[in-house]
């Protein structure tokens, strides 16, 4: 059980990296790609995602949660800046949105255009992102809550390297939701067709990947049910999509 949960965590991080790379490579080339923030910070995001499970496997869960917070914050800001400064150069974006990029607040997420999500899912994503950011922020600075948690874990014999399967599974759920939210934000920072090309196969079915289990990724996938190649198998596609949702 322990080994299976750890392998699951590796798969989560690896799949996310592929998703980011595919999304970035599907975006238009030329000036657009050169001036998209993802072209310049994508490597940092992939490194952070890949490091999550390495840190967790070394029983450095608190550090991993700090990395997850960075990913969530970076994804929010990247999405906001790209939407608000779509046609600006990188230099112009850095100047115009300097205060946003420096700020530790994520209130700008409430001004994001989440058009790929059905309306009912948009406030749910905002709430989810806020909750995840708040949870992971508890591990950025030394706080009473963090100390109390350590004391409580020590009282139960839970020390470095002695995590139980249930704790690893809980961590996997956390990064699953956090990284899925990051992907959703990324998809909203690039042209709509990028998400469609990544989520929908040429025969109209949905790609079978780990993040198909996210209710938000599934919701975005449903936005492409209008595609011609889906019409003769739409019920099948919708049924398979619903069956995969698990977080």
């Amino acid at each position: 059980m322990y080994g299976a949960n750890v392998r699951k965590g590796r798969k989560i991080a690896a799949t996310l990296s592929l998703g980011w790379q595919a999304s970035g490579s599907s975006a238009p080339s030329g000036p657009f790609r050169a001036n998209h923030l993802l072209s310049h910070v994508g490597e940092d995001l992939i490194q952070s995602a890949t490091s999550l499970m390495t840190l967790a496997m070394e029983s450095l869960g608190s550090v991993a949660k700090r990395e997850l917070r960075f990913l969530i914050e970076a994804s929010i800001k990247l999405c906001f800046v790209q939407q608000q400064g779509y046609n600006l150069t990188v230099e112009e974006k850095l100047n115009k949105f300097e205060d946003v990029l420096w700020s530790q607040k994520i209130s700008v997420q409430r001004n994001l255009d989440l058009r790929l999500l059905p309306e009912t899912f948009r406030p749910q994503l905002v709430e989810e992102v806020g909750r995840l950011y708040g949870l992971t922020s508890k591990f950025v600075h030394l706080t009473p809550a963090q100390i109390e948690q350590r004391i409580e874990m020590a009282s139960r014999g839970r020390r470095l390297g002695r995590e139980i399967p249930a704790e690893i599974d809980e961590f996997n759920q956390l990064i699953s939701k956090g990284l899925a939210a990051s992907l959703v934000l990324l998809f909203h920072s690039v042209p709509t067709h990028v998400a469609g090309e990544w989520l929908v196969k040429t025969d109209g079915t949905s790609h079978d990947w780990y993040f198909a289990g996210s209710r938000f990724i599934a919701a975005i996938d449903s936005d492409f049910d209008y595609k011609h190649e889906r019409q003769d198998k739409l019920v099948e596609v919708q049924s398979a999509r619903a069956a995969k949702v698990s977080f």
Side-chain angles (χ1 to χ4, degrees), residues 31-43:
F32 176 86
R33 184 176 296 179
N35 288 311
H36 196 296
L37 292 186
L38 185 61
S39 298
H40 306 283
V41 302
E43 184 65 30

Side-chain angles (χ1 to χ4, degrees), residues 11-12 15-16 176 179-180 183-184 187 198-201 205-222 230 237-247:
K11 180 180 179 181
I12 295 169
T15 306
L16 178 84
S176 293
L179 298 182
L183 276 170
V184 170
F187 282 141
W198 177 241
L199 297 176
V200 183
K201 297 167 68 173
T205 59
S206 301
H207 277 285
D208 186 18
W209 63 317
Y210 180 80
F211 287 97
S214 163
R215 60 190 170 113
F216 295 112
I217 296 295
I220 291 179
D221 186 272
S222 72
R230 279 194 164 175
V237 168
Q238 292 173 335
S239 177
R241 182 170 60 222
K244 291 176 184 175
V245 174
S246 59
F247 59 91

Side-chain angles (χ1 to χ4, degrees), residues 3 23 41-42 73 100 105 126 158 165 185 224 244:
S23 298
V41 302
E73 179 183 340
V100 172
K105 298 180 180 179
V126 171
R158 299 269 79 84
L185 294 169
F224 298 99
K244 291 176 184 175

Side-chain angles (χ1 to χ4, degrees), residues 137-178:
S137 291
K138 294 178 181 178
F139 296 88
V140 174
H141 307 290
L142 189 62
T143 63
Q146 187 177 153
I147 296 172
E148 289 169 355
Q149 182 186 50
R150 283 297 178 196
I151 293 173
E152 192 274 333
M153 290 178 67
S155 70
R156 295 186 289 113
R158 299 269 79 84
R159 296 186 182 279
L160 196 65
R162 294 184 180 180
E163 290 80 5
I164 59 177
E167 291 169 344
I168 298 175
D169 187 59
E170 181 181 355
F171 179 76
N172 283 342
Q173 280 290 308
L174 175 65
I175 64 170
S176 293
K177 293 178 179 180

